[in-house]
mmCIF file of all heavy atoms in Angstrom:
data_model
loop_
_atom_site.group_PDB
_atom_site.id
_atom_site.type_symbol
_atom_site.label_atom_id
_atom_site.label_comp_id
_atom_site.label_asym_id
_atom_site.label_seq_id
_atom_site.Cartn_x
_atom_site.Cartn_y
_atom_site.Cartn_z
ATOM 1 N N CYS A 6 8.645 -0.088 5.259
ATOM 2 C CA CYS A 6 7.688 0.458 6.218
ATOM 3 C C CYS A 6 7.070 1.730 5.651
ATOM 4 O O CYS A 6 7.781 2.704 5.377
ATOM 5 C CB CYS A 6 8.402 0.744 7.539
ATOM 6 S SG CYS A 6 7.433 1.737 8.673
ATOM 7 N N GLN A 41 -0.686 -3.989 10.595
ATOM 8 C CA GLN A 41 -0.755 -4.483 11.969
ATOM 9 C C GLN A 41 -1.434 -3.435 12.846
ATOM 10 O O GLN A 41 -1.070 -2.251 12.806
ATOM 11 C CB GLN A 41 0.641 -4.767 12.506
ATOM 12 C CG GLN A 41 1.361 -5.874 11.751
ATOM 13 C CD GLN A 41 2.727 -6.177 12.331
ATOM 14 O OE1 GLN A 41 2.835 -6.797 13.400
ATOM 15 N NE2 GLN A 41 3.772 -5.752 11.642
ATOM 16 N N ASP A 62 -12.092 -11.365 -9.614
ATOM 17 C CA ASP A 62 -11.556 -10.742 -8.410
ATOM 18 C C ASP A 62 -10.137 -11.250 -8.151
ATOM 19 O O ASP A 62 -9.931 -12.439 -7.908
ATOM 20 C CB ASP A 62 -12.457 -11.056 -7.215
ATOM 21 C CG ASP A 62 -12.228 -10.095 -6.058
ATOM 22 O OD1 ASP A 62 -11.511 -9.092 -6.251
ATOM 23 O OD2 ASP A 62 -12.776 -10.327 -4.970
ATOM 24 N N LEU A 64 -8.086 -9.720 -5.779
ATOM 25 C CA LEU A 64 -7.660 -9.167 -4.499
ATOM 26 C C LEU A 64 -7.722 -10.239 -3.430
ATOM 27 O O LEU A 64 -8.765 -10.860 -3.221
ATOM 28 C CB LEU A 64 -8.562 -7.992 -4.106
ATOM 29 C CG LEU A 64 -8.292 -7.342 -2.746
ATOM 30 C CD1 LEU A 64 -6.913 -6.696 -2.729
ATOM 31 C CD2 LEU A 64 -9.363 -6.310 -2.417
ATOM 32 N N GLU A 84 -17.842 -7.811 8.436
ATOM 33 C CA GLU A 84 -17.327 -7.330 9.709
ATOM 34 C C GLU A 84 -16.706 -8.476 10.481
ATOM 35 O O GLU A 84 -17.230 -9.598 10.482
ATOM 36 C CB GLU A 84 -18.439 -6.657 10.522
ATOM 37 C CG GLU A 84 -18.979 -5.405 9.852
ATOM 38 C CD GLU A 84 -19.912 -4.618 10.750
ATOM 39 O OE1 GLU A 84 -19.619 -4.542 11.964
ATOM 40 O OE2 GLU A 84 -20.919 -4.096 10.235
ATOM 41 N N ALA A 99 -15.720 -6.452 -8.113
ATOM 42 C CA ALA A 99 -14.433 -7.128 -7.934
ATOM 43 C C ALA A 99 -13.316 -6.095 -7.848
ATOM 44 O O ALA A 99 -13.416 -4.995 -8.401
ATOM 45 C CB ALA A 99 -14.161 -8.095 -9.094
ATOM 46 N N GLU A 108 -11.899 4.514 14.326
ATOM 47 C CA GLU A 108 -11.068 5.461 15.061
ATOM 48 C C GLU A 108 -9.575 5.247 14.826
ATOM 49 O O GLU A 108 -8.755 5.771 15.586
ATOM 50 C CB GLU A 108 -11.381 5.431 16.554
ATOM 51 C CG GLU A 108 -12.829 5.771 16.876
ATOM 52 C CD GLU A 108 -13.115 5.790 18.364
ATOM 53 O OE1 GLU A 108 -12.184 5.537 19.150
ATOM 54 O OE2 GLU A 108 -14.267 6.041 18.735
ATOM 55 N N VAL A 116 -7.139 -3.198 -7.153
ATOM 56 C CA VAL A 116 -6.161 -3.963 -7.934
ATOM 57 C C VAL A 116 -6.261 -3.549 -9.392
ATOM 58 O O VAL A 116 -7.351 -3.542 -9.976
ATOM 59 C CB VAL A 116 -6.411 -5.482 -7.807
ATOM 60 C CG1 VAL A 116 -5.360 -6.253 -8.622
ATOM 61 C CG2 VAL A 116 -6.364 -5.920 -6.352
ATOM 62 N N ARG A 125 3.916 -0.126 -23.441
ATOM 63 C CA ARG A 125 4.498 0.421 -24.679
ATOM 64 C C ARG A 125 5.043 1.826 -24.448
ATOM 65 O O ARG A 125 6.180 2.135 -24.837
ATOM 66 C CB ARG A 125 3.438 0.452 -25.784
ATOM 67 C CG ARG A 125 3.948 0.961 -27.129
ATOM 68 C CD ARG A 125 2.830 1.167 -28.120
ATOM 69 N NE ARG A 125 1.945 2.256 -27.721
ATOM 70 C CZ ARG A 125 2.225 3.556 -27.918
ATOM 71 N NH1 ARG A 125 3.377 3.916 -28.489
ATOM 72 N NH2 ARG A 125 1.379 4.483 -27.530
ATOM 73 N N VAL A 156 7.829 5.683 5.494
ATOM 74 C CA VAL A 156 7.999 6.427 4.245
ATOM 75 C C VAL A 156 6.878 7.449 4.067
ATOM 76 O O VAL A 156 7.115 8.611 3.745
ATOM 77 C CB VAL A 156 8.033 5.461 3.040
ATOM 78 C CG1 VAL A 156 8.119 6.244 1.734
ATOM 79 C CG2 VAL A 156 9.201 4.495 3.147
ATOM 80 N N TYR A 161 3.461 13.171 8.108
ATOM 81 C CA TYR A 161 2.512 13.694 9.077
ATOM 82 C C TYR A 161 3.194 14.143 10.369
ATOM 83 O O TYR A 161 2.538 14.684 11.249
ATOM 84 C CB TYR A 161 1.480 12.630 9.445
ATOM 85 C CG TYR A 161 0.527 12.257 8.339
ATOM 86 C CD1 TYR A 161 0.795 11.181 7.503
ATOM 87 C CD2 TYR A 161 -0.663 12.969 8.141
ATOM 88 C CE1 TYR A 161 -0.091 10.817 6.496
ATOM 89 C CE2 TYR A 161 -1.555 12.615 7.142
ATOM 90 C CZ TYR A 161 -1.251 11.534 6.323
ATOM 91 O OH TYR A 161 -2.129 11.171 5.327
ATOM 92 N N GLY A 164 7.101 19.021 12.130
ATOM 93 C CA GLY A 164 8.297 19.627 11.559
ATOM 94 C C GLY A 164 8.869 18.924 10.349
ATOM 95 O O GLY A 164 10.025 19.180 9.975
ATOM 96 N N SER A 167 10.152 17.912 3.370
ATOM 97 C CA SER A 167 10.380 16.925 2.314
ATOM 98 C C SER A 167 11.760 17.104 1.673
ATOM 99 O O SER A 167 12.139 18.221 1.312
ATOM 100 C CB SER A 167 9.306 17.043 1.234
ATOM 101 O OG SER A 167 9.596 16.163 0.170
ATOM 102 N N VAL A 196 13.198 2.707 12.171
ATOM 103 C CA VAL A 196 12.395 3.768 12.783
ATOM 104 C C VAL A 196 11.049 3.262 13.304
ATOM 105 O O VAL A 196 10.160 4.049 13.638
ATOM 106 C CB VAL A 196 12.160 4.919 11.774
ATOM 107 C CG1 VAL A 196 13.471 5.588 11.417
ATOM 108 C CG2 VAL A 196 11.454 4.411 10.526
ATOM 109 N N ALA A 197 10.877 1.934 13.404
ATOM 110 C CA ALA A 197 9.590 1.355 13.810
ATOM 111 C C ALA A 197 9.196 1.813 15.209
ATOM 112 O O ALA A 197 10.027 1.899 16.117
ATOM 113 C CB ALA A 197 9.658 -0.159 13.759
ATOM 114 N N GLY A 201 1.530 -2.190 19.419
ATOM 115 C CA GLY A 201 0.227 -2.821 19.583
ATOM 116 C C GLY A 201 -0.620 -2.222 20.674
ATOM 117 O O GLY A 201 -1.398 -2.906 21.328
ATOM 118 N N SER A 219 0.298 4.190 -9.008
ATOM 119 C CA SER A 219 1.176 4.393 -10.153
ATOM 120 C C SER A 219 0.714 5.592 -10.968
ATOM 121 O O SER A 219 1.400 6.587 -11.095
ATOM 122 C CB SER A 219 1.214 3.134 -11.015
ATOM 123 O OG SER A 219 -0.086 2.725 -11.370
#
Side-chain angles (χ1 to χ4, degrees):
C6 168
Q41 296 182 74
D62 199 10
L64 177 64
E84 296 189 39
E108 301 182 0
V116 181
R125 182 189 67 80
V156 176
Y161 292 94
S167 175
V196 295
S219 53

